[in-house]
Structure formats: C-alpha cells, structure tokens
Amino acid sequence: LFRQHLDLCYILPHLFTLTTTNDDKMKIALFSLLVAGANAFSAQVPQNMLSKASNLDGDGSWDPEKISKTVARIEGQTRKTWKFSDITQEVVQVAIRSDGRPVHVETNLWIGPDWTPMKLKAYSEDGLKRPVQMLLGTRNKQATIEVLNTGQWEMPVQASCNYASSPLSEARFDLPNDPEVQSQYVEGGGAVKSFLFDPEVEQVQVLLHTNTRQLHAYVELLNAPNNIKQKVKTFTNNGLLNSLFIVFDTPGAGNVVRVQNLAPLEFPCIAYVLPTAKSGLGEGSEPVISSGM
C-alpha cells in the first residue's frame, strides 16, 4: 500500500503537465484508475467478521459447530480471544471440549483496556464426555472473552463462543423461577452444599448468584466419593451482573454437584440446580438435596 501511494505521488505531477492538446477526460480517467489501484490494497474489515447473534440454529444447542461457524483449536499454553461489540446483547455462550483428554482452561471476561470483572478456572477429566459449557454476561458493554489453555502442549482443546440465542439467552433469569429447580442458601466462609440426582439424569444446569456482592466459589461434579470429574472456580466483583451459569453433562449413575462458597462469611450466595435432560430409563423423581457439610 505504501509503495502504491509513492507511485501515485510520482505519476500525478507528470500527469497534469501534459500538453493542453490532451483531452481532460483522458486525465480524469487515468487519475481514477490510479486511485482505484491504490485503494485495492487498503485493509478493510469484512462485514461477516463483525460480532453477530447468535447460536446458528437458535435451538439452545451446546454443540460447538452450532454455536459458531468457526471452532477454534487452542493448543496447550496458548490462548484465543473473541470480541463482542453489540451492546444490545448481554449473554455469551462458551463451549470447550477435547478429544477425550483432560481439559485445563482459564476463561476471563475483559471490559476496557485493563478491567477483568470475571475470572473462571475449569477442569474436566474427559473433555469429550464432560465438556465445559457456560454462559457469561458482558454487562451490555463491548467486551472480550479470553480462553487460555493451561494444559500441556500435547492436550489441545476446541472452543466455540458466540452470543446466546433463546432459550439460553434468558436462562440465567428464568432458572430461579422454574418450578422444578432446587435451591440452597450457601453461607460464606467455606460452607458446602451438595445436590444428588437420579441415575437417568444426563445433564444439569447450575446457577450461582449473589445480591450484587462478590461471588467466589467452587462448583464440582463428583462421581463416587470425592472422585472429581469436573470443577469450575469463579470470582467476580458482582455476583448478580456476572452470575455463574454452568451446564454439566452427567453420564452414568452416582453423580453429585457440590458447591463451596470461598468468599468471606459476609458474602453468601444462592445455588440453583435443575436437571434438563434424562435418559428415559425410568420415570425418575426430583433431585434429592443433601444437607450441607
């Protein structure tokens, strides 16, 4: 591009020193041709690269190929970022999976040049059976979401990120009002609450929020005593604007969701858990909630 403009600057003086016998139309045509040639090398942002809504099928699917046209491969010890500029939308859907190997990732929400209002660390023993699936709020601001693969270089992950479509775009607000949801008040200072499920439950939604105070908590998926299959650690300065919404796939029997509040005693949170998919092996019943330890 720089050379094109140099050539243009060199040719123009000679162009307009032509004799008066040359036709003015010829000068204008040649000048237009030179300008068009220079503009052809100008960098432009394709319209299809701008942030747009949303889940491509609009069915609330967690399949990465349906969330976004492009699924990013993130090698170990590398990162990928997505920019979201539509301030009329607020909920972003993030799905991270592997080919069956463990997943170790950090997901950060960036607003502005140096503000990170929400941080998450996620682990999954098997990123194919139990992918990392979450909804993040951008607070109706221009935001960037970073996914950092903290695993070894030989353990890549695939990540997909896009604005959520209905019904997921309203899920954080609708879940507490669902008639089948189970909720527990979790005191700060390390209090623990557990949620047990019937064997046919294959997927559960978990929501943690506060009354605008900080949210600092662990959410773990266990199978058998203290056998952690998946866990997420979150911190945000506002647990209402950036509530934690996680979707766990729960294949097999004996699954338990455990919530631990890591914040000080003054910062309690409320945990909501709702089964959203069943295998159909039996009639089933509502989740049984154990008392906190």
Side-chain angles (χ1 to χ4, degrees):
L1 177 60
F2 180 71
R3 179 165 183 176
Q4 290 289 328
H5 283 293
L6 283 180
D7 294 342
L8 185 61
C9 294
Y10 174 79
I11 294 173
L12 284 178
H14 295 277
L15 174 65
F16 287 101
T17 55
L18 297 175
T19 61
T20 55
T21 58
N22 289 334
D23 189 89
D24 290 341
K25 292 184 179 180
M26 178 183 137
K27 296 180 184 180
I28 296 173
L30 187 54
F31 175 74
S32 301
L33 181 62
L34 291 170
V35 171
N39 288 339
F41 291 87
S42 300
Q44 296 183 359
V45 179
Q47 290 298 316
N48 60 3
M49 295 297 291
L50 298 177
S51 297
K52 295 182 179 180
S54 49
N55 184 298
L56 300 180
D57 288 349
D59 59 355
S61 171
W62 286 99
D63 186 350
E65 285 79 10
K66 292 184 178 181
I67 295 175
S68 175
K69 293 181 179 179
T70 304
V71 178
R73 177 185 171 94
I74 308 176
E75 304 291 342
Q77 303 299 313
T78 62
R79 73 187 67 206
K80 170 70 176 176
T81 59
W82 289 262
K83 185 176 182 180
F84 296 91
S85 303
D86 188 352
I87 62 174
T88 65
Q89 301 191 72
E90 201 266 335
V91 181
V92 173
Q93 185 177 3
V94 181
I96 304 168
R97 69 181 182 187
S98 71
D99 57 359
R101 296 184 178 186
V103 172
H104 297 266
V105 293
E106 294 182 8
T107 304
N108 296 313
L109 172 67
W110 297 341
I111 297 178
D114 57 359
W115 185 30
T116 308
M118 189 174 192
K119 300 179 180 181
L120 299 103
K121 291 183 179 181
Y123 160 79
S124 178
E125 182 185 69
D126 185 331
L128 186 61
K129 288 184 178 179
R130 300 176 184 87
V132 178
Q133 304 165 144
M134 65 187 78
L135 298 178
L136 302 179
T138 63
R139 306 190 183 194
N140 292 109
K141 299 182 183 294
Q142 296 184 6
T144 298
I145 291 178
E146 174 207 35
V147 176
L148 171 63
N149 184 354
T150 58
Q152 299 299 317
W153 65 269
E154 65 269 21
M155 294 184 180
V157 300
Q158 296 83 45
S160 187
C161 196
N162 205 347
Y163 282 116
S165 60
S166 182
L168 287 178
S169 57
E170 297 88 24
R172 295 189 307 159
F173 312 103
D174 294 343
L175 184 63
N177 300 318
D178 192 291
E180 297 184 3
V181 73
Q182 302 293 329
S183 63
Q184 284 285 332
Y185 182 86
V186 189
E187 292 283 358
V192 176
K193 298 292 182 181
S194 299
F195 301 78
L196 294 85
F197 305 96
D198 293 329
E200 62 269 18
V201 173
E202 293 187 333
Q203 188 181 82
V204 296
Q205 295 180 349
V206 181
L207 172 67
L208 268 64
H209 74 71
T210 68
N211 60 348
T212 72
R213 298 184 179 183
Q214 75 168 235
L215 175 63
H216 189 197
Y218 260 126
V219 181
E220 298 169 321
L221 176 65
L222 293 82
N223 187 274
N226 284 326
N227 183 7
I228 299 176
K229 297 297 185 180
Q230 194 170 347
K231 64 180 178 180
V232 177
K233 182 181 181 181
T234 183
F235 176 81
T236 178
N237 68 331
N238 190 322
L240 183 62
L241 295 179
N242 284 116
S243 55
L244 176 66
F245 188 98
I246 296 290
V247 177
F248 287 130
D249 287 347
T250 58
N255 292 295
V256 177
V257 170
R258 184 169 65 188
V259 178
Q260 182 179 12
N261 190 346
L262 303 175
L265 186 63
E266 300 83 1
F267 300 138
C269 67
I270 302 177
Y272 300 90
V273 178
L274 176 69
T276 55
K278 294 187 177 183
S279 62
L281 298 177
E283 292 299 328
S285 60
E286 294 184 356
V288 179
I289 302 177
S290 71
S291 59
M293 293 183 292

